[in-house]
Amino acid sequence: MPPAGVFGQAANPWFGWHDDARLIGSEGAEVPRGVDFGQALPDRPGGAALAAVLAGQGRAFRIGGEGEVAAGFGCFETLTGGSLGSARRVVRTQASWLASFAVNAGLFDLGPGVRVAVPGRLSQSLALYGALEGLCLGAEVHLLDGLRPDRMARAVAERRIGVIYATPVHLAQMVASGLQWPALRLVLVGGAKLEPGLRAGLAALAPAAVVREFYGAAEASFITLATPEDPPDTVGRPYPGVSLRICDTGGADLPDGMVGEVWLRSPYVFQRYAGTDPGSARWRGAWLTVGEIGQMTRHGLILRGRAGRMVTIAGQNVFPEDIERFLAGVPGVAQAAVLARRDATRGHVLLAVLMGERAMERDILAAARERLGPMLAPRGVIWRDDWPTLGSGKTDLAVLQAEVDAWR
């Protein structure tokens, strides 16, 4: 349980307003506290939804999604990112998030007087977490959802935001504005790997900001946390209180450097999926996996990709995420996704969906063939002028897969 006094209120195991907290809507107006509780709430307007939730005094709720709330008292529902299919409803205790709020208060100096910006929709687990954490710790929380990316970036500058909770997609959209953020001191990034180009863009616009990348999941909350000194291919080391194992398909531990399934034991994990949905996470005693494949090194955890996205090409297991990370660093590429389509000879072939400089396609494909070899390099490119995203801020892979399946 959180220590007494951290939240400026009685240390109850549920969410509530800190005495010093303020909530600012996307247009800059303060959201009042005096709102009746609601259980199943739309995620827009976000300020009204949060005010209603914090009036609940432990009653179960969900922001976004469909269906009756299946959680009990002291619990709530949030949604998975849905990048591999439709979003699932996750049931967890409010205390499981409050515990990490208390950890982050110390790690990141979060509390009264800190201005926190959240660009995502509150149906997104990361956005909901960042907003609730700030309000429970006494920060001034600014919801930016609904604004154009350039207006989000302007709000960060003009409101002198000190901390941002965001996905790489949201950050990339705001960084494209070119606006300087001199007051920004901390960027907390989750939901996908932060690529070197975006990291450099952040450093140019916010030279005083420390970037802390973390790996997490709606089912598990924080799993690892990287420091600025960690190599860019890792997602850091276990978050405080979390234990990790890398296991083979039979559940046996693998030594450092070997690739296997990531399992974790943590005080921040969920209880179950809502309704009859079996979900994708699996338990083995007190240990949980969300289906991520990775390897532990002396520098931290390296993620290879989700088991659900792995494909076989000429008998070789391939993680599209590995190739996406490479392409994201190639000159001329602004956004990258790699998807597979069936092939009678090889089992699968890969195609790249890109945003960026179309005139550089030949150079991009040549760089991929040189680095990956002809078997794993994408066979072609589908160019897009915009990038499809889910409410979670993650890439909408279902939209891109349909385009890949139709490509000729």
Side-chain angles (χ1 to χ4, degrees):
M1 296 304 302
V6 169
F7 302 112
Q9 57 182 15
N12 293 317
W14 53 72
F15 304 134
W17 288 99
H18 187 287
D19 295 341
D20 297 318
R22 296 180 67 211
L23 178 59
I24 312 297
S26 59
E27 298 300 331
E30 184 165 1
V31 178
R33 297 190 182 198
V35 177
D36 291 335
F37 172 75
Q39 190 171 47
L41 298 158
D43 59 1
R44 287 176 172 170
L50 278 175
V53 162
L54 292 172
Q57 293 294 298
R59 286 176 285 181
F61 68 90
R62 184 186 67 246
I63 297 179
E66 299 178 353
E68 294 184 3
V69 175
F73 184 83
C75 299
F76 70 108
E77 292 182 12
T78 185
L79 305 177
T80 64
S83 58
L84 298 181
S86 59
R88 293 185 167 99
R89 293 158 50 198
V90 168
V91 178
R92 60 162 58 246
T93 66
Q94 297 183 30
S96 69
W97 273 13
L98 285 166
S100 56
F101 293 176
V103 173
N104 288 348
L107 285 176
F108 306 131
D109 194 22
L110 299 175
V114 177
R115 294 179 179 178
V116 178
V118 178
R121 295 182 72 156
L122 296 179
S123 52
Q124 173 203 359
S125 180
L126 173 58
L128 180 62
Y129 181 96
L132 283 172
E133 178 180 79
L135 295 172
C136 288
L137 293 177
E140 181 178 290
V141 175
H142 293 251
L143 303 179
L144 305 183
D145 175 48
L147 299 177
R148 295 194 317 260
D150 61 320
R151 292 190 63 200
M152 287 186 184
R154 187 174 298 110
V156 172
E158 293 177 351
R159 302 184 197 181
R160 299 191 59 78
I161 297 298
V163 178
I164 292 179
Y165 259 105
T167 66
V169 169
H170 287 127
L171 290 172
Q173 291 171 339
M174 291 191 288
V175 164
S177 72
L179 292 172
Q180 296 288 314
W181 297 329
L184 193 64
R185 67 169 178 86
L186 176 65
V187 181
L188 292 161
V189 189
K193 194 76 183 74
L194 183 65
E195 301 303 337
L198 179 54
R199 188 182 292 271
L202 281 169
L205 300 184
V210 174
V211 177
R212 298 299 299 270
E213 185 176 7
F214 61 87
Y215 160 50
E219 297 94 337
S221 195
F222 288 92
I223 300 173
T224 65
L225 179 65
T227 70
E229 292 75 33
D230 287 332
D233 59 339
T234 78
V235 290
R237 293 171 174 80
Y239 181 81
V242 176
S243 300
L244 293 181
R245 300 166 60 188
I246 306 297
C247 299
D248 64 18
T249 55
D253 289 335
L254 293 171
D256 286 357
M258 295 289 289
V259 175
E261 198 163 39
V262 180
W263 288 79
L264 64 115
R265 186 174 58 191
S266 165
Y268 318 114
V269 294
F270 79 134
Q271 291 185 319
R272 59 184 173 84
Y273 294 102
T276 59
D277 184 356
S280 57
R282 308 191 323 273
W283 293 91
R284 184 180 292 136
W287 293 84
L288 172 73
T289 183
V290 294
E292 199 82 49
I293 306 298
Q295 59 194 123
M296 187 62 70
T297 73
R298 64 188 181 90
H299 299 296
L301 178 66
I302 295 176
L303 294 178
R304 300 294 304 278
R306 295 295 294 268
R309 290 193 67 194
M310 187 183 74
V311 297
T312 302
I313 299 177
Q316 180 178 349
N317 291 338
V318 178
F319 295 96
E321 294 95 327
D322 279 342
I323 302 171
E324 290 168 354
R325 285 189 284 271
F326 167 73
L327 288 174
V330 174
V333 177
Q335 292 277 4
V338 174
L339 297 105
R341 56 185 293 170
R342 292 200 173 275
D343 178 76
T345 303
R346 301 180 179 183
H348 294 89
V349 295
L350 299 175
L351 292 174
V353 183
L354 304 178
M355 280 180 60
E357 301 295 328
R358 298 185 184 216
M360 297 185 67
E361 178 175 326
R362 181 176 296 180
D363 294 338
I364 293 167
L365 289 176
R369 285 192 295 270
E370 181 178 355
R371 172 68 176 269
L372 305 168
M375 194 70 69
L376 302 187
R379 298 289 296 276
V381 175
I382 298 172
W383 289 95
R384 290 187 61 97
D385 295 322
D386 56 5
W387 201 251
T389 58
L390 301 162
S392 62
K394 295 183 178 182
T395 297
D396 192 333
L397 294 174
V399 167
L400 299 186
Q401 186 66 61
E403 295 179 4
V404 166
D405 292 340
W407 183 80
R408 292 292 183 269

